[in-house]
Amino acid sequence: MADPRLPHDHLLDEQVAYYRARAPEYDEWWERRGRFDRGPELNAVWSAEVAELEAAIDAMGPFGDTLELACGTGIWTRRLRSLAGTLTAVDASEEMIGINRARLRDDSVAYVAADLFAWTPPRRFDTVFFSFWLSHVPPERFAPFWDLVGRALVPGGRAVFIDNQWIESATSLGGRLGDRDSTSVERQLNDGRWYRIVKVFYDPDDLARRLGGLGWRAHVTGTPQYFIYGEASPG
Ligand SMILES: C[S@@+](CC[C@H](N)C(=O)[O-])C[C@H]1O[C@@H](n2cnc3c(N)ncnc32)[C@H](O)[C@@H]1O
């Protein structure tokens, strides 16, 4: 019988294992600490772009009933709380969910531990939000992923998303960025262990075009160096 596995499927378990192990040190990336500390000048550029990104996402609110996919440690879950009516947050890693829960201490947030490639939304939401997740979706699962997002949205709902631009100074010192057109990358933890995970970088215009090809109306833009962000609604 033919192997039903798709080309990047062998990386998906390793990707979950990587994030489970990385959970306690994950925020060092966002807060430019430890191996991610690139010095005052670059850190200041990063902080300015984070502020720009936060303001842009705030301006897209309110979000109503919100589903956050791959919520991680809660960097954005915390922010979504003030933008969302209700908030449901999904992640494959119990370790990530544990840190998220401890950070927010908010019983009104519904957490779900699930593999997004084997999960069906139980109901529909006004907004589906995902940050730094789309780049971890294998290219051959791009269309099925957006199909899942569409099935999670009420009529008139929208997806709101954030991701990385391809830039060396966003990585850890001694880390690997990978080629611009590669679909996977090697990542190292503080203890020296290496993992290979899916990583696909999107250019804002190209992403908007691809979404248009799937029948979505999308607007995607970026901060000067580090981030892309956008919104999309089923056409
Ligand atoms: C780059 S982190 C993004 C976390 C968070 N959204 C943020 O902005 O900080 C990717 C997240 O995807 C989760 N993840 C990886 N594979 C997954 C899968 N198959 N299903 C659900 N979540 C997954 C990881 O546990 C991790 O929390």
Side-chain angles (χ1 to χ4, degrees), residues 12-13 15-20 22-23 26-27 29-30 68-77 90-94 96-97 100 103 112-119 129-133 135-136 162-164 187 197 199:
L12 296 181
D13 287 348
Q15 179 156 276
V16 172
Y18 166 69
Y19 278 110
R20 292 187 64 185
R22 186 180 165 196
Y26 181 81
D27 291 357
W29 157 72
W30 188 246
E68 184 184 14
L69 303 178
C71 61
T73 60
I75 293 165
W76 287 92
T77 319
V90 186
D91 201 285
S93 162
E94 294 277 10
M96 289 285 187
I97 289 177
N100 191 318
R103 170 180 256 147
V112 180
D115 176 353
L116 287 173
F117 298 116
W119 183 71
F129 177 94
F130 37 98
S131 49
F132 307 101
W133 168 247
S135 53
H136 294 310
I162 300 171
D163 224 299
N164 305 97
R187 289 274 182 84
I197 63 169
K199 191 72 187 177

Side-chain angles (χ1 to χ4, degrees), residues 63 65 123-128 149-159 216-217 232-235:
F63 288 167
D65 278 341
R123 64 181 180 94
R124 292 178 183 265
F125 299 82
D126 299 307
T127 304
V128 177
V149 175
R151 282 184 281 116
L153 286 171
V154 297
R158 68 185 160 154
W216 290 71
R217 281 175 288 108
S233 304

Side-chain angles (χ1 to χ4, degrees), residues 3 6-7 14 17 44 48 50 61 67 71 87 90 95 135 144 152 161 166 181 183 196 213 217 220 228:
D3 186 349
L6 296 168
E14 190 169 344
V50 166
L67 171 66
C71 61
L87 186 50
V90 186
E95 293 79 0
S135 53
F161 48 90
W166 185 77
D181 297 326
T183 53
R196 181 169 282 280
R217 281 175 288 108
V220 191
I228 68 167

